[in-house]
Amino acid sequence: FFKGKQRRFEFQWQFKLKQVPKGDVCFCAELGEPIEMGIVQRALTSTALRFVKKMNPGFSYYLSDSYDRPSYLSFPVGTSMERFTAT
Protein backbone atom coordinates (compact mmCIF):
# COMPACT_ATOMS: atom_id res chain seq x y z
CA PHE A 1 0.00 0.00 0.00
CA PHE A 2 2.84 2.44 0.80
CA LYS A 3 5.29 1.19 -1.85
CA GLY A 4 6.11 3.82 -4.47
CA LYS A 5 3.93 6.43 -2.76
CA GLN A 6 4.59 9.39 -0.50
CA ARG A 7 2.10 8.17 2.12
CA ARG A 8 3.30 8.23 5.71
CA PHE A 9 0.18 7.12 7.56
CA GLU A 10 -3.14 5.38 7.12
CA PHE A 11 -6.49 5.70 8.86
CA GLN A 12 -8.61 2.60 9.39
CA TRP A 13 -12.09 2.89 10.83
CA GLN A 14 -14.65 0.23 11.54
CA PHE A 15 -18.17 0.99 12.62
CA LYS A 16 -21.61 -0.56 12.56
CA LEU A 17 -24.68 1.32 11.38
CA LYS A 18 -28.10 0.58 12.85
CA GLN A 19 -29.67 0.75 9.40
CA VAL A 20 -28.55 0.99 5.78
CA PRO A 21 -28.30 4.66 4.74
CA LYS A 22 -30.47 5.83 1.83
CA GLY A 23 -27.79 8.13 0.41
CA ASP A 24 -24.07 8.76 0.68
CA VAL A 25 -22.23 8.24 3.95
CA CYS A 26 -20.38 11.45 4.76
CA PHE A 27 -17.57 12.33 7.14
CA CYS A 28 -18.17 15.71 8.74
CA ALA A 29 -16.26 17.79 11.28
CA GLU A 30 -17.44 21.02 12.89
CA LEU A 31 -15.54 23.42 15.15
CA GLY A 32 -17.23 24.92 18.18
CA GLU A 33 -15.21 28.13 18.10
CA PRO A 34 -14.33 30.62 15.34
CA ILE A 35 -11.00 30.29 13.55
CA GLU A 36 -8.69 33.25 14.01
CA MET A 37 -6.25 33.50 11.09
CA GLY A 38 -4.19 36.24 9.56
CA ILE A 39 -4.47 37.22 5.91
CA VAL A 40 -1.65 34.91 4.79
CA GLN A 41 -2.91 31.95 6.84
CA ARG A 42 -6.45 32.38 5.53
CA ALA A 43 -5.19 32.64 1.92
CA LEU A 44 -3.07 29.49 2.22
CA THR A 45 -5.84 27.55 3.97
CA SER A 46 -8.44 28.64 1.42
CA THR A 47 -6.14 27.68 -1.44
CA ALA A 48 -5.52 24.23 0.04
CA LEU A 49 -9.25 23.66 0.64
CA ARG A 50 -10.13 24.80 -2.91
CA PHE A 51 -7.57 22.31 -4.23
CA VAL A 52 -9.19 19.52 -2.20
CA LYS A 53 -12.62 20.55 -3.54
CA LYS A 54 -11.29 20.48 -7.10
CA MET A 55 -9.98 16.94 -6.57
CA ASN A 56 -13.19 15.83 -4.82
CA PRO A 57 -16.31 17.77 -5.93
CA GLY A 58 -18.36 16.32 -3.04
CA PHE A 59 -16.11 18.08 -0.52
CA SER A 60 -17.73 21.01 1.27
CA TYR A 61 -16.27 23.46 3.77
CA TYR A 62 -16.79 26.81 5.46
CA LEU A 63 -14.26 28.85 7.43
CA SER A 64 -15.89 31.09 10.01
CA ASP A 65 -14.44 33.90 12.07
CA SER A 66 -17.61 34.43 14.13
CA TYR A 67 -19.91 32.42 16.40
CA ASP A 68 -22.88 32.96 14.05
CA ARG A 69 -22.02 30.04 11.77
CA PRO A 70 -19.51 27.33 12.75
CA SER A 71 -16.58 26.27 10.58
CA TYR A 72 -16.95 22.79 9.09
CA LEU A 73 -15.74 20.37 6.48
CA SER A 74 -17.64 17.47 4.98
CA PHE A 75 -17.06 14.89 2.29
CA PRO A 76 -18.68 11.68 1.01
CA VAL A 77 -16.72 8.70 2.33
CA GLY A 78 -17.22 6.55 -0.76
CA THR A 79 -15.60 9.06 -3.14
CA SER A 80 -12.96 10.40 -0.76
CA MET A 81 -11.23 7.27 0.48
CA GLU A 82 -9.06 4.92 -1.50
CA ARG A 83 -10.85 1.89 -0.09
CA PHE A 84 -14.32 1.67 1.43
CA THR A 85 -15.87 -1.68 2.26
CA ALA A 86 -19.48 -2.24 3.26
CA THR A 87 -20.42 -5.70 4.45
Side-chain angles (χ1 to χ4, degrees), residues 6-69:
Q6 299 253 343
R7 295 185 181 105
R8 302 282 185 249
F9 59 90
E10 170 181 334
F11 289 107
Q12 291 187 8
W13 298 337
Q14 181 177 347
F15 53 91
K16 189 175 191 178
L17 301 174
K18 292 183 179 181
Q19 57 187 349
V20 176
K22 293 183 174 130
D24 290 337
V25 174
C26 293
F27 175 82
C28 306
E30 182 178 295
L31 297 176
E33 296 182 7
I35 300 173
E36 294 181 20
M37 290 190 274
I39 295 171
V40 174
Q41 289 173 317
R42 186 168 289 278
L44 290 172
T45 302
S46 294
T47 301
L49 291 171
R50 280 195 304 272
F51 176 76
V52 171
K53 184 160 181 67
K54 185 176 182 180
M55 300 304 288
N56 184 352
F59 178 75
S60 175
Y61 70 94
Y62 180 75
L63 297 176
S64 177
D65 55 1
S66 74
Y67 283 96
D68 296 337
R69 183 175 171 196

